Amino acid sequence: MNDLERIRAEPLRSRLEGLISREPMSGCWLWLGTLCANGYGVLSIGKVQHKAHRVVYREYRGPIPGELPLDHVCRSTACVNPYHLEAVPMGVNIRRGVGPTAVNARKTDCKEGHPLSGSNPRISGRRRMRSCWICTRRQTMEKSKRTGRSAEAQRAHHARVRDALREV
């Protein structure tokens, strides 16, 4: 039996144990195998690559409820400790994160201090971005004064420019 056949025949749990380093201070189980560019561990089973944290969760805790995304509660993407992972909907997982989307989703006020709740937030664009309606209105009025165009004329101008760009 060659090395590759021996590795494939090895039971999954003992294979996983050889790829995990338990960090006593944080409680994280750090993945020693291959890490992809975003820091998550990957594991090949047969010819298929799997996310290591999902494989470890299934092996130690059982099925992932509803096959939901697993949130790293410890915030370490290299951690595969199944007790540091929580199955949550994607929106919850994103909002708990530290990226720009999560940071902006947690904001309760705009830069000027207006609340981003009730009728004030304005949702616009393909990316469904949230902005302050009060500030947007003020900026539009200031631009109208600078350019000499009313807000309505400004919108008509933008529509003409957009149409012209579509024709190109």
Side-chain angles (χ1 to χ4, degrees), residues 58-109:
R58 286 186 190 106
E59 183 65 20
Y60 287 84
R61 293 190 67 182
I64 298 168
E67 284 303 305
L68 290 167
L70 293 175
D71 181 29
H72 288 78
V73 180
C74 61
R75 309 280 23 112
S76 173
T77 55
C79 178
V80 294
N81 183 339
Y83 299 97
H84 284 194
L85 303 170
E86 184 182 354
V88 295
M90 183 60 79
V92 171
N93 194 4
I94 290 169
R95 283 189 296 278
R96 286 181 177 178
V98 294
T101 304
V103 170
N104 286 327
R106 287 191 292 268
K107 288 181 182 173
T108 58
D109 298 322

Side-chain angles (χ1 to χ4, degrees), residues 21-30:
S21 171
R22 287 175 171 78
E23 166 49 52
M25 298 300 282
S26 66
C28 287
W29 296 5
L30 301 177

